[in-house]
Amino acid sequence: MEPTEPRVVRTRTDWVRLVTGLAVVFLLFHWSADALKSDRGQHGIILALIVLPATAAAQWSLHRGAGRSKWPALGLGWPRARGLAAAVAITLALWLVAFLFVLARGLTVWFYPRWLYLLPGLFAQAGVAEEVLFRGYLFGNLRIGRTFWRAALLSMLPFTAVHLILFFSMPWPIALAAVLLAVIMSFPLACLYEVGGGTIWASALLHFVVQGTVKVLVVSPEPATFALAWMIASGLVPLLIVGSLGSLGSLGSTGSSKVKQPRS
């Protein structure tokens, strides 16, 4: 297949289309999650089935049906092993940190009722749906014609902004920590997307683990302390591991003007 020329988001019209698409899909995502009461992924698969076509429609509108309007352009292609390996390494390191923290504080931990049944929905909701929207659609489009770092910085702003809604539903120290975590995690998530071959699977795994762990574990007697410690670890550990793997140093080049065709 001949590569096609994607649109580079530069003009005011392009930016309006990009941001409008993001806002509409996010509001639909948030409203649907509230309506379905899917705070622990109870209806995450349904939400993913809502968000993915909506994001594809936003992508089609942005590119006017050409070039990057196909599913692989939203990060749903075949991933590279390096990205998945990095995500697994980060996951294991995070769980080790959590285990040591629980041990050191003498906390009691048990699983939320029917936690195994929640995992597929949590992965679909916190992993696939969010990463298709924020990495596949937002970062993926901003990456065209820009360096990794510029695209990651630009995509970090809306990703962080949508987390401000947490101040209406959480104690402010937890909400503030979550917003700061969104700022920090924007970069390793974008890195995993890039290292994973322009696919969302590695970043979806990490996003799922970061959100899902505190939703399937019940911690006593210091749940808020554990939640804060988990968010701090979730901000620092991915940065350290991604950096130690040498991933960050090779991401400075400008995104190709041609559409990469992920393996299917």
Side-chain angles (χ1 to χ4, degrees), residues 179-252:
V179 170
L180 293 175
L181 177 61
V183 172
I184 297 170
M185 281 201 67
S186 294
F187 298 98
L189 288 173
C191 178
L192 289 174
Y193 173 87
E194 184 110 345
V195 174
T199 65
I200 57 100
W201 304 113
S203 59
L205 174 59
L206 177 57
H207 207 149
F208 156 68
V209 168
V210 169
Q211 282 200 29
T213 297
V214 291
K215 292 183 178 181
V216 301
L217 294 182
V218 181
V219 180
S220 179
E222 302 175 0
T225 301
F226 176 80
L228 283 171
W230 175 252
M231 283 190 274
I232 292 170
S234 298
L236 296 179
V237 171
L239 282 177
L240 292 173
I241 292 183
V242 166
S244 69
L245 291 175
S247 300
L248 297 179
S250 59
L251 298 175

Side-chain angles (χ1 to χ4, degrees), residues 46-215:
I46 295 175
L47 286 170
L49 293 175
I50 293 172
V51 171
L52 266 61
T55 309
Q59 182 83 339
W60 187 92
S61 175
L62 177 63
H63 294 281
R64 295 168 174 81
R68 289 181 58 87
S69 297
K70 301 170 184 176
W71 287 108
L74 289 174
L76 295 172
W78 190 262
R80 290 178 184 164
R82 187 184 180 200
L84 290 176
V88 170
I90 294 168
T91 295
L92 295 176
L94 281 172
W95 284 344
L96 176 60
V97 170
F99 172 76
L100 294 175
F101 181 82
V102 166
L103 206 62
R105 301 286 296 186
L107 304 177
T108 301
V109 179
W110 63 95
F111 287 106
Y112 192 81
R114 298 174 61 85
W115 66 277
L116 275 175
Y117 294 95
L118 297 176
L119 294 182
L122 275 169
F123 180 71
Q125 181 176 339
V128 176
E130 286 206 33
E131 286 303 300
V132 162
L133 179 58
F134 289 108
R135 246 55 61 184
Y137 173 75
L138 180 61
F139 174 77
N141 282 304
L142 291 175
R143 181 70 171 96
I144 304 168
R146 294 178 178 85
T147 65
F148 169 84
W149 291 109
R150 182 169 175 77
L153 179 62
L154 288 171
S155 66
M156 177 267 290
L157 299 175
F159 182 59
T160 303
V162 299
H163 285 78
L164 296 176
I165 200 170
L166 296 176
F167 282 99
F168 295 97
S169 59
M170 291 182 174
W172 76 264
I174 302 293
L176 178 61
V179 170
L180 293 175
L181 177 61
V183 172
I184 297 170
M185 281 201 67
S186 294
F187 298 98
L189 288 173
C191 178
L192 289 174
Y193 173 87
E194 184 110 345
V195 174
T199 65
I200 57 100
W201 304 113
S203 59
L205 174 59
L206 177 57
H207 207 149
F208 156 68
V209 168
V210 169
Q211 282 200 29
T213 297
V214 291
K215 292 183 178 181

